[in-house]
């Protein structure tokens, strides 16, 4: 019997980060705990969040060798735009709270690597600024609010800023129960409470950047609501008070036609809904449970992918969103038939840990993992990947 030997793993600085989990450790060192746990946490018991990633471990890759893999092409076309990798940086809220460079850093890295990225309705940089400065493919993630004036304004602003797609999130009719945030008292903008004071005080670099750089706000919303920009509110309270629980297929279809451009639904999990999305003319769906932050106990996107691809893969692009921590996870999703894999935490920990430099390093690592994985699989193009190369345990 061999004795277990732990390999040395010390993550103190950016160059110590060699995978997504290393960035997570560095983010944990550098962020006040309410902010870290907002990113890292999920709904209820966080079982779905854990399964999103572990689902990939229940499926093994079967490589083909001697395939001549000197030249490989990792590019794909996603929603009409060429992407250098089959990877999308999913929209996530409040990024300037994680690092002062926020969405600007993510957009720059996405543009440099020619990747799709999304900004949230709750982004901390405006639709206009992103539209004016970043040429790469970009989507506006759309939360359907009760305030119809705000809903219309978001569409008009996305059109004027030449966004490539609107992605309507359909899994967030009410907020998931994010218990780490209930314990930490996390709000946007952060309210420093006696309980959290120490955490902010012991992360002076974060605190100084937050206090003395550009004022935090949610510029896509503040024309209509002050909560989140000028008034602190928990994300749970924001969703529960502002979003339209009556959102249904008719409203989704109307939004698609008002927008008139490329349209995606994010948060589709059932075959029936995937078919309906194709029926109303969506261009793509993101099979997603919001990174486990909404309905805990929900199935993982990767577990659900096969039946959705089989049902609608010939009518609509299917993106597998969540739990992706390795290049090989993306390759597994593509082998099942997804057009691309996507994720939030795969770049968010890196953003929180080290801003643009961090995101650049994280995306480069994932790119290298995808390239290495393809070579070792004997695949020279993405279309070489298929279910023939997979076995479930
Ligand atoms: C901190 C954080 C904020 C998020 N904000 C949004 C959001 O504003 N809108 C949205 O549709 N999804 C949001 N998501 C979900 C992501 O778009 C994506 O579905 C999720 O991160 C996928 O899981 P992964 O983190 O395991 O990759 C957020 C996720 C995280 C971690």
């Amino acid at each position: 019997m061999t004795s277990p030997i732990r390999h040395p793993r010390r993550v103190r600085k950016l160059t110590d980060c060699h995978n997504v989990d290393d960035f997570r450790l560095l983010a944990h060192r550098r962020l006040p705990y309410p902010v870290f746990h907002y990113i890292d946490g999920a709904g209820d018991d966080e079982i779905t969040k854990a399964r999103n990633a572990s689902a990939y471990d229940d499926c093994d890759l079967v490589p083909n060798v001697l395939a001549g893999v000197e030249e490989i092409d990792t590019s794909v076309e996603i929603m009409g735009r060429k992407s250098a990798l089959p990877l999308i940086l999913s929209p996530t809220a409040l990024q300037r709270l994680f690092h002062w460079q926020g969405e600007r850093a993510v957009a720059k890295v996405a543009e440099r690597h020619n990747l799709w990225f999304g900004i949230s309705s709750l982004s901390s940089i405006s639709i206009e600024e992103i539209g004016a400065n970043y040429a790469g493919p970009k989507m506006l993630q759309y939360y359907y609010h009760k305030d119809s004036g705000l809903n219309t304004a978001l569409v008009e602003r996305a059109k004027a800023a030449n966004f490539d797609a609107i992605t309507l999130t359909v899994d967030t009719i009410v907020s998931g129960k994010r218990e780490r945030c209930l314990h930490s008292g996390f709000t946007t903008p952060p309210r420093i409470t006696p309980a959290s004071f120490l955490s902010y005080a012991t992360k002076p670099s974060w605190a100084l950047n937050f206090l003395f750089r550009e004022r935090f706000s949610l510029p896509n919303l503040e024309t209509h609501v002050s909560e989140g920009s000028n008034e602190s509110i928990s994300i749970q309270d924001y969703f529960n008070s502002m979003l339209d629980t009556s959102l249904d297929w008719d409203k989704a279809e109307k939004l698609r036609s008002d927008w008139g451009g490329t349209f995606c639904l994010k948060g589709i999990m059932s075959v029936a809904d995937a078919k309906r999305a194709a029926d109303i003319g969506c261009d793509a769906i993101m099979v997603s449970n919001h990174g486990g932050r909404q309905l805990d106990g929900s199935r993982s996107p990767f577990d659900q992918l096969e039946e959705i691809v089989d049902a609608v893969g010939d009518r609509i692009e299917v993106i597998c969103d969540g739990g992706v921590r390795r290049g090989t996870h993306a390759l597994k999703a593509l082998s099942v038939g997804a057009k691309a894999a996507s994720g939030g935490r795969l770049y968010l920990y890196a953003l929180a840990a080290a801003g643009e430099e961090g995101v650049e390093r994280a995306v480069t690592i994932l790119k290298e993992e995808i390239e290495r994985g393809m070579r070792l699989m004997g695949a020279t193009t993405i279309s070489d990947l298929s279910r023939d190369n997979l076995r479930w345990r």
Side-chain angles (χ1 to χ4, degrees), residues 91-93 120 141 143 169 266 290-291 293 321-323 325 343-345:
T92 58
S120 169
Q141 177 275 326
Y143 277 131
T169 296
K266 175 171 181 287
H290 215 110
R293 297 161 78 81
D321 175 70
R325 302 291 182 266
R345 296 181 185 89

Side-chain angles (χ1 to χ4, degrees), residues 308-320:
I308 291 185
V309 167
D310 287 347
V312 298
D314 55 343
R315 298 170 67 199
I316 194 169
E317 291 183 13
V318 179
I319 296 157
C320 185

